Amino acid sequence: MPDLKNTTLHIGFDDTDSLKGGCTTFLALRIIELLDPHVDFIDYPRLIRNNPNIPWKTRGNGALCLTLRVNDEIVEKVVRIAIETLNELLEEDPNTNPGMVFVLGEVPEEIKQFSRKALTDVILISTTKDIVEKFCFKHYSVGNSRGLIGALAAIGNSLNPTSEDFTYELLTYRKPENVGEKRDFNEKSVVKADSKYSAEVFNNIDEESKKVLIAPAGPDPVLYGIRGENPLILLKMMEEIEVYESISSYCIFRTNQGTDQHFKFASSEVKNYNAFKGEIRTLEKPRTILGGHVIFQGEIASNEIKVDVAAFEPSKSFRNTIRKLLPEDIILAYGGVKYKEEFQGFTIQLEKCEILSVSEQFKEESPLCPSCSKRMISNGLNKGYKCRNCGHKDRDLRKNKTPIERTLSTGLFIPPAQSQRHLIKPFRRYNLPQKDSYFLIDNWWKVFPKAK
Ligand code: ATP
């Protein structure tokens, strides 16, 4: 039989929600539901987190891509359904600027490169439009069209299993009448399921505060999201989480969350809002400033630029590590760059940090008296030391240098889960075997029928 669904179509979209409501993942599920009778999905919807440092994000700078096979005679119909659904579900807000792009067939190298840049840099709308015009079969945008940036980046970031790390997130959605109300589920059942599947799930609980992290705070339609390595385990975990309100639907997404993907491409260039990865030499002892943030000045090894380095209050115990730094320690800093107008300088906002070397530090003290063993005092500039106890003087004595025991050791330090941004790779994900494939499981999404 000829392959009727002979065309591959990628649909990328972003920036459809606001802090007042909506969720781009929910839009993805609605489009999946409407397209399902006409197309074959060949990947999970990809939830791609882009540069977390850009100031105009709503929450986690997430964008979506659907990849599917379709009969070329109905491509136009599919495009129409996707755009109509976006218009139906988008949140009207001055800061919401939706964008949707459509690419047919192989994703061009230019779009892949664009995606890598979107993880670490700030991209202009005009640059994006040029690429969209050149390579996209169709596009649609509202407002200032900024959503096209994330939309295109989601298409180019294919999370190829043989070259990129990836994870899954299962999101459950609420009934419309419950949106805005307190989310109602049994936290103990989450703790239990998290410990049962601990090798395959991550960041569902904050280990330090024991807080359950699966539910967002805002008036969006998500009830909870659970993150892990295996879609089948996520389905099982969903069944074991006790909820006291009905779930209207759920969907499993393939994502770059928890992978450090932005740091794979980040550099030590100091540019406002860029992702940063580079060696820094500590120039001073860190200090705690108003609000509990810990800050110190350092010098970037590769370009000798002096920057402030900050660990913010929400990073909790991570700050204790940073407080132990002393001059001449060397760290590998992972974070974001922020220009501070008031200090006319740049700050590296730490997201994680590897202590590479801990400097030797010494305590300097006056020598002990050779005759009576009491501590001596200076006898004046270049005049050596004298003893107040027995009167002994010695021009040739020098200060004693004794090494200070450092309480800081080399190694990797990551803030607790509750303050981690989506892209950060948590400790639980280190040393996992590399996945090399994915396949669509049965029931990777479901919309439950409405009760009559
Ligand atoms: P949510 O997490 O709830 O989906 P969000 O945090 O993704 O929301 P958006 O409302 O999508 O926030 O806004 C992010 C905006 O930033 C989008 O318009 C997106 O296209 C744009 N954007 C994403 N990455 C970059 C980048 N590297 N440079 C410039 N703009 C970007």
Side-chain angles (χ1 to χ4, degrees):
M1 231 173 65
D3 177 14
L4 289 177
K5 292 178 180 157
N6 51 2
T7 301
T8 304
L9 176 67
H10 309 265
I11 312 176
F13 44 101
D14 193 10
D15 208 343
T16 66
D17 55 4
S18 80
L19 286 173
K20 289 194 249 98
C23 178
T24 309
T25 66
F26 185 67
L27 168 64
L29 177 56
R30 182 73 185 131
I31 298 174
I32 290 167
E33 186 188 5
L34 294 171
L35 293 187
D36 189 56
H38 313 290
V39 308
D40 287 339
F41 290 98
I42 54 173
D43 195 351
Y44 293 87
R46 286 198 310 283
L47 168 56
I48 299 296
R49 301 287 176 179
N50 287 307
N51 183 356
N53 306 297
I54 58 145
W56 41 81
K57 63 181 183 176
T58 310
R59 283 175 287 255
N61 199 11
L64 269 299
C65 176
L66 305 179
T67 307
L68 48 93
R69 301 274 293 169
V70 57
N71 180 339
D72 51 15
E73 283 172 14
I74 64 156
V75 169
E76 293 285 350
K77 177 175 168 179
V78 165
V79 168
R80 186 170 37 77
I81 293 174
I83 293 175
E84 276 172 12
T85 315
L86 181 145
N87 278 327
E88 211 177 286
L89 294 193
L90 71 85
E91 274 293 308
E92 303 266 354
D93 186 279
N95 293 322
T96 299
N97 297 289
M100 188 172 249
V101 289
F102 300 85
V103 171
L104 283 174
E106 276 280 301
V107 176
E109 191 51 39
E110 285 81 350
I111 300 185
K112 291 184 183 165
Q113 273 173 22
F114 178 93
S115 304
R116 291 194 275 273
K117 213 168 148 50
L119 285 164
T120 57
D121 288 37
V122 177
I123 301 182
L124 298 176
I125 300 171
S126 54
T127 315
T128 311
K129 279 186 172 165
D130 290 345
I131 303 180
V132 166
E133 298 286 351
K134 200 159 158 203
F135 296 106
C136 296
F137 162 67
K138 282 264 160 54
H139 65 274
Y140 175 76
S141 62
V142 184
N144 69 10
S145 305
R146 184 178 280 137
L148 291 176
I149 303 170
L152 193 63
I155 290 183
N157 196 343
S158 64
L159 301 181
N160 182 338
T162 56
S163 55
E164 291 295 339
D165 186 14
F166 65 91
T167 62
Y168 296 92
E169 179 158 10
L170 183 154
L171 286 165
T172 59
Y173 298 97
R174 319 182 75 182
K175 288 188 151 182
E177 59 268 31
N178 292 329
V179 173
E181 301 296 321
K182 186 177 172 304
R183 288 168 172 84
D184 214 1
F185 59 88
N186 182 341
E187 295 206 337
K188 282 195 186 131
S189 69
V190 182
V191 176
K192 201 168 150 200
D194 182 77
S195 89
K196 181 169 171 189
Y197 300 114
S198 64
E200 307 247 31
V201 297
F202 64 94
N203 280 10
N204 298 310
I205 314 281
D206 181 82
E207 314 260 341
E208 194 169 306
S209 65
K210 305 291 172 220
K211 256 192 206 158
V212 171
L213 302 176
I214 64 170
D220 57 89
V222 172
L223 177 59
Y224 66 75
I226 44 180
R227 295 154 208 148
E229 310 297 332
N230 179 332
L232 290 166
I233 298 286
L234 290 180
L235 273 189
K236 278 197 200 168
M237 185 162 167
M238 176 178 73
E239 278 158 22
E240 292 172 29
I241 294 177
E242 278 175 46
V243 288
Y244 305 129
E245 62 174 83
S246 311
I247 290 173
S248 69
S249 53
Y250 72 82
C251 184
I252 296 177
F253 296 82
R254 208 158 70 84
T255 94
N256 59 354
Q257 294 173 166
T259 66
D260 274 355
Q261 196 191 29
H262 58 328
F263 292 136
K264 190 169 159 185
F265 304 108
S267 73
S268 55
E269 192 187 352
V270 178
K271 218 165 114 195
N272 204 12
Y273 305 132
N274 266 31
F276 179 93
K277 181 181 169 193
E279 274 186 35
I280 294 183
R281 184 167 61 92
T282 315
L283 295 179
E284 62 177 5
K285 193 174 167 1
R287 56 198 188 279
T288 303
I289 60 165
L290 196 71
H293 315 303
V294 176
I295 196 156
F296 66 90
Q297 201 190 39
E299 186 180 275
I300 300 171
S302 63
N303 50 28
E304 298 182 354
I305 294 176
K306 290 190 175 57
V307 286
D308 278 343
V309 183
F312 290 125
E313 192 282 329
S315 65
K316 303 289 177 201
S317 61
F318 177 72
R319 295 168 305 160
N320 297 339
T321 304
I322 303 303
R323 281 192 188 104
K324 288 182 190 160
L325 287 165
L326 287 173
E328 302 304 321
D329 291 343
I330 311 280
I331 65 169
L332 180 58
Y334 297 84
V337 183
K338 182 86 188 284
Y339 180 72
K340 281 271 153 66
E341 193 72 57
E342 61 271 38
F343 311 124
Q344 303 210 334
F346 289 94
T347 302
I348 307 300
Q349 306 185 332
L350 286 178
E351 289 182 48
K352 59 166 69 173
C353 150
E354 199 176 331
I355 311 283
L356 296 178
S357 73
V358 177
S359 62
E360 270 196 299
Q361 300 283 332
F362 297 93
K363 191 163 81 179
E364 290 198 336
E365 283 176 313
S366 308
L368 296 179
C369 174
S371 350
C372 72
S373 301
K374 292 276 182 239
R375 181 89 46 211
M376 300 175 86
I377 58 166
S378 169
N379 198 23
L381 191 64
N382 299 326
K383 287 191 188 152
Y385 286 86
K386 67 178 174 196
C387 179
R388 266 204 294 220
N389 187 44
C390 70
H392 181 84
K393 290 183 186 170
D394 192 328
R395 285 189 87 86
D396 299 326
L397 281 175
R398 296 277 171 273
K399 277 192 170 165
N400 283 341
K401 271 174 116 183
T402 43
I404 299 174
E405 203 193 321
R406 297 292 306 272
T407 52
L408 184 65
S409 44
T410 55
L412 180 67
F413 296 87
I414 308 178
Q418 64 170 329
S419 68
Q420 282 168 27
R421 287 161 152 182
H422 295 85
L423 273 164
I424 290 295
K425 179 165 159 172
F427 277 120
R428 238 191 227 188
R429 296 209 66 249
Y430 280 78
N431 304 321
L432 286 178
Q434 171 72 39
K435 303 183 193 72
D436 54 10
S437 60
Y438 63 87
F439 62 93
L440 282 171
I441 59 167
D442 289 341
N443 300 326
W444 57 271
W445 67 276
K446 197 163 249 173
V447 176
F448 297 106
K450 289 192 185 79
K452 295 256 159 58

